[in-house]
Amino acid sequence: MASVMKTTRDVKGIGLSILRPDGPDKVTGQVQYVADLNPRGLLHAKLLRSPYAHAKIVRIDVSRARALPGVRAVLTAADIPVLKKKAPTRAHAVLAIDRVVFAGQPVAAVAADELAIAEEALDLIDVQYDVLPVAADPLESMKPGAPPVAELGTEADTSEALAHGSVAGVTTEAKSSKAVNISQQARLQRGDVAKGFAESDVVIENTYRVPMVHQGYLEPHAVLAQWDTAGNLTLWASTQGSFNTRSEVADVLELPENRIKVIPMECGGGFGGKIRALCEPITAVLARATGRPVRYVMTRREELEAGMPAPQVIIKMKTGVKRDGTLMALEAEAILESGAFSGAVLAVAGVFLASLYRWPSFDVQGFEVLTHKPSIAAYRAPVAPQTIFAIDSQMEQIAKAIGVDPVEFRLRHLQREGDKMANNQPWLSNGAVEVLTRLAEHPLWKKRAEWKASSKDGKLRGTGLSLGGWLGGLQPTGATVRLNPDGTLQVLTGQVDIAGTNIALAQIAATAYGVDIDKVKITTGDTDVAPMTGLSAGSKTTYTVGVAVMQAAENARNQTLEIAAKELEASVHDLEIDNDKVVVRGVPDKGITLASIGKKGNLYMSKVEPVLGTSHPAFSVQAPAFCGQLARVEVDPDTGEVTLHNFVVAQDVGKAINPLQIEGQMQGGAVQSLGMALTEALIYDDQARLTNPSLLDYRKLTSADLPSIETIIVEKPAPHGPFGARGVGEPPIVPAPAAIANAIEDATGVRLTHLPLSPERIALAIAAAS
Amino acid sequence: MAKQVLSFTVNDEPAEVLVQPWDTLLEALRERMGLTGPKEGCGTGDCGACTVHFDGKPIASCLLLAMQARGHTVRTIEGLGKPGALHPLQDAFIRHGVPQCGFCIPGVLMAAAALLTENPRPSEEEIRYGIAGNLCRCTGYTKMLAAITEAAGATAGRRS
């Protein structure tokens, strides 16, 4: 798969900015999302959610709700025998049994003829709670004696880490017996840290905090469930992985997987938040109870209060270096607040903290801590932005403290291919050095002194950059490529297209087979018909499914050539594909059309086998992908307001299969990163209730907050990627928090370590410093 | 409560539809009329995904009761342009590769179309504020700005 397929002519395939085929449907409102489906007999579902973060359910009375005309079902946990008290995952906690563990946890479910009736029914359900003490703060929650979150004996859930397939060699330990809410622990150590610090000239210590943030997809979670009379369930889902949704629903409801068909609808944004099952099981149960199709669409308030956000991450970090810049020791403690259910990618956090730069000694400890908040999930490069914020801020401060150029300092210590990561795995080929070098050559970086000196009207100007990345996920997958009777190609995968990957896969098929892209159609099939595949997550769709499609297309090409060889009585080695026909090299009039070969594969009594290229690879080699970001800012020291004047994203994509789609990923990822840096936070009160459950108060960046995002595509081929491609989606969300913090320090002299870098924080820090 | 008849003009056609008195205009369009182009992203007027034209002005259709539209004129994304006769903005959005997940796009296009009607030659700043009520989580707005800027030129050019 490392070999780049030699095409016989320069086909219209990889490397071109081909437009997505779904563009026309998307600009005319024709694309269908789950909430747009309206089958005959549709019922609408609503969930009654706990107003308390931690409470015992004493009694639930649903009799008045059941009596309301138009209500078709009202369910509590007592009506669903498969539910267990020790729910191992959030998906298993379909409805609370006798205790709620976060505000917004569902305790009852209603299906009714109209949404308004379902809403009215919720008001008629009477729940009596005994409110219990709340673990609202992770630092308190990890102490012995804190109010317990999980049921005793519940195992930690590390499947998210496995799903992202990111790190090997780190064992996360079971939780300690005393601290009831520590659900995972990990420790990575090398060398003698105490000696390292003793021999250091400059020791810098900071605590970095990144709050819980929401993935922010515009389409709230939605699902439509329907059963047939034979007991087969169909789910129309907004998911990043239809096979994963099928497995989770099958597990929760104790159904055979082949009884469930998941049809992935257009996904209105996922970013990690639509990997795990959430509302699918309860909707399926309501559909079974009523014998009708049931649609459930979460409100935005429910999304913010009871979605699956990114964890709060608190990192205490201490670094020691020699006056000449020699790295000596790194000590870090990372606390990942997971909410009410385990599932943080703790090992990834540990590896990122200690692996980017060449620390001869380090001691990194990680704790996953449960609190009475909604449980977390992945958010685009899970924990990479948070950990890179810490380590990159630290590198910048060290460079400043010893008076060296911050880019040269990073480049001097950056780990290279073959160097050992913190988990002792070697760094694989990557473009970190190339990305940082390209960014440092940018005029905005070279002219940073001029920009700073140009400060006027009491505003302060500064420039900052940061480098971060993602290790790249892996998961087995599959694809088929068929030759149609008219000579066109049909590509089938089960991969959900959440990022424009289908057009890239079609381009790969075109180039690998040897026809122009307009001859290729790609389909994402449902779980009944498509080859099994993994999540659209971990920046691995193009990297892994691209290989499957490439191999399936090569396989189809070989079958095609073999058939042509027989028909033309020529050697396979003398044949080439010239877009719509197979010709004998050097004999241009001796050939057979692809249509003719395709037709023979579908003729009555034909002895020619139909062309069906297949591939179902598994993978072992990741492709790390790095992104650097550069910010030019202006800060008003009185108000703390930051104006972003320019923002540049440089990223190693291995090989740009479709530059236009890649730019879109880089720009969108960068703005999510900037949101985390500047404005976004889920803010909870001391009873773990969300205080900002609307998009007015959960502040995402708008077009008016931003400049246009400049992109620089760097191509350092990934040895095992399809045509050298590496993952693209996640790296651009990583660097902005540190880049902005570095720029603010350049402008104001103030170092900020808590996100978001809000005007209030900035103004207070400036006031405190002066 | 009994349903009521809402008579109004939708996408240049007279329409009559039975709605509940508590239905929002967005619900009437989506659930009662099958016009699912406008999306519900928040239901509180903060995200702009439900933007439609109400007597030519952009509004959040999730904040208006359906019956308030009686006798008025509404245009949804379905009435902005059709395949083969796309609005210049739709055409520019396709060519610039703007839509990713696509969920915000109908609202952004309706906001941008209203902006260009009112101000055929907007500055970059005016475009940025013109769609500031429309949240997009995928694109970072950069390609949107380029597409609207280009379409503004195209629209103005066509008229002159």
Side-chain angles (χ1 to χ4, degrees), chain A residues 19 26-27 33 35-36 114 116 214-215 295 300 379 663-665 668 672 680 701 703 706-709, chain B residues 22 30-32 36 39 41 77 90 94-95 100-103 109 128 131-132 137-143:
Chain A
L19 297 174
K26 282 185 171 163
V27 301
Y33 305 82
D36 300 336
E114 300 236 351
H214 191 272
Q215 295 86 351
R295 191 177 81 193
R300 181 58 56 181
Y379 177 23
E663 286 167 14
Q665 287 296 306
Q672 291 183 350
E680 292 181 37
L701 294 174
S703 54
L706 293 157
S708 286
I709 309 294
Chain B
W22 54 77
R30 288 180 52 81
E31 304 294 336
R32 315 261 179 224
T36 54
K39 303 299 179 198
I77 186 69
Q90 293 172 309
I94 295 171
R95 282 184 295 97
Q100 291 188 30
C101 89
F103 199 78
L109 282 167
R128 288 199 176 277
I131 59 164
R137 195 59 160 179
C138 298
T139 69
Y141 309 103
T142 299
K143 291 189 189 300

Side-chain angles (χ1 to χ4, degrees), chain A residues 348-582:
Chain A
V348 180
V351 168
F352 264 114
L353 286 172
S355 297
L356 218 53
Y357 298 97
R358 290 169 168 151
W359 297 99
S361 71
F362 58 80
D363 184 355
V364 176
Q365 284 198 79
F367 300 93
E368 179 189 56
V369 180
L370 303 183
T371 56
H372 290 110
K373 293 183 190 164
S375 63
I376 57 94
Y379 177 23
R380 204 170 187 164
V383 309
Q386 296 89 340
T387 47
I388 295 295
F389 172 54
I391 190 70
D392 195 86
S393 296
Q394 200 80 5
M395 292 300 282
E396 181 83 8
Q397 290 166 80
I398 298 168
K400 228 173 208 115
I402 60 175
V404 298
D405 179 87
V407 170
E408 279 169 29
F409 181 66
R410 285 181 183 83
L411 283 173
R412 176 180 162 194
H413 299 296
L414 202 56
Q415 295 242 48
R416 307 302 206 266
E417 182 179 352
D419 287 347
K420 267 189 196 168
M421 297 196 293
N423 55 346
N424 293 322
Q425 304 289 311
W427 268 107
L428 299 164
S429 160
N430 67 75
V433 169
E434 289 81 353
V435 162
L436 188 53
T437 306
R438 281 290 292 278
L439 207 53
E441 286 165 0
H442 197 285
L444 292 179
W445 181 249
K446 296 202 159 196
K447 292 186 178 158
R448 60 193 186 280
E450 289 93 317
W451 176 250
K452 193 171 160 66
S454 73
S455 299
K456 57 178 184 187
D457 303 331
K459 309 269 180 73
L460 302 169
R461 292 178 163 180
T463 308
L465 56 67
S466 171
L467 174 75
W470 182 247
L471 299 174
L474 299 174
Q475 199 168 5
T477 182
T480 63
V481 175
R482 286 173 285 158
L483 179 64
N484 290 324
D486 65 353
T488 57
L489 289 187
Q490 200 84 32
V491 182
L492 175 68
T493 78
Q495 200 72 27
V496 177
D497 181 2
I498 60 160
T501 44
N502 267 358
I503 187 64
L505 296 175
Q507 288 172 261
I508 287 170
T511 296
Y513 187 88
V515 294
D516 286 344
I517 181 71
D518 51 15
K519 291 250 179 358
V520 182
K521 184 180 181 209
I522 182 159
T523 305
T524 296
D526 64 54
T527 55
D528 270 7
V529 302
M532 194 158 67
T533 190
L535 301 165
S536 293
S539 298
K540 65 180 173 55
T541 298
T542 303
Y543 185 69
T544 60
V545 189
V547 167
V549 168
M550 183 179 82
Q551 290 176 345
E554 288 170 356
N555 185 220
R557 175 190 165 89
N558 291 339
Q559 293 173 28
T560 306
L561 293 181
E562 276 164 26
I563 295 166
K566 275 189 202 146
E567 299 286 330
L568 297 171
E569 295 177 339
S571 160
V572 167
H573 307 287
D574 295 333
L575 298 181
E576 60 186 14
I577 293 179
D578 186 4
N579 209 34
D580 58 358
K581 57 184 184 299
V582 182

Side-chain angles (χ1 to χ4, degrees), chain A residues 624-638:
Chain A
F626 278 84
C627 180
Q629 293 177 351
L630 168 60
R632 183 182 255 195
V633 304
E634 187 172 56
V635 183
D636 183 329
D638 296 326

Side-chain angles (χ1 to χ4, degrees), chain A residues 19-20 22-24 26-33 35-38 42 44 114-117 214-220 266-269 271 295 297 299-301 379-380 498-499 659-661 663-665 667-669 671-672 675 680 694-698 700-710, chain B residues 3 20 22-23 27 30-32 34-49 77-83 86 89-106 109 124-125 127-146:
Chain A
L19 297 174
R20 290 172 65 151
D22 56 3
K26 282 185 171 163
V27 301
T28 51
Q30 299 306 305
V31 166
Q32 290 217 302
Y33 305 82
D36 300 336
L37 301 174
N38 198 346
L42 179 70
H44 301 264
E114 300 236 351
L115 196 60
I117 298 171
H214 191 272
Q215 295 86 351
Y217 36 79
L218 255 283
E219 180 211 23
E266 186 69 36
C267 182
F271 314 116
R295 191 177 81 193
V297 182
T299 65
R300 181 58 56 181
R301 186 183 180 111
Y379 177 23
R380 204 170 187 164
I498 60 160
L660 183 71
Q661 310 306 326
E663 286 167 14
Q665 287 296 306
Q667 290 158 345
V671 169
Q672 291 183 350
E680 292 181 37
S694 79
L695 291 181
L696 191 63
D697 296 316
Y698 182 86
K700 298 193 218 174
L701 294 174
T702 73
S703 54
D705 299 316
L706 293 157
S708 286
I709 309 294
E710 183 183 336
Chain B
K3 284 187 181 171
Q20 296 285 8
W22 54 77
D23 279 349
E27 286 167 332
R30 288 180 52 81
E31 304 294 336
R32 315 261 179 224
L35 292 169
T36 54
K39 303 299 179 198
E40 180 165 327
C42 67
T44 50
D46 298 316
C47 78
I77 186 69
E78 287 90 344
L80 187 66
K82 294 250 181 280
L86 293 174
L89 279 166
Q90 293 172 309
D91 182 55
F93 268 49
I94 295 171
R95 282 184 295 97
H96 283 261
V98 176
Q100 291 188 30
C101 89
F103 199 78
C104 73
I105 295 295
L109 282 167
E124 181 186 330
E125 190 79 351
I127 296 173
R128 288 199 176 277
Y129 279 91
I131 59 164
N134 296 80
L135 295 175
C136 169
R137 195 59 160 179
C138 298
T139 69
Y141 309 103
T142 299
K143 291 189 189 300
M144 254 174 215
L145 258 289

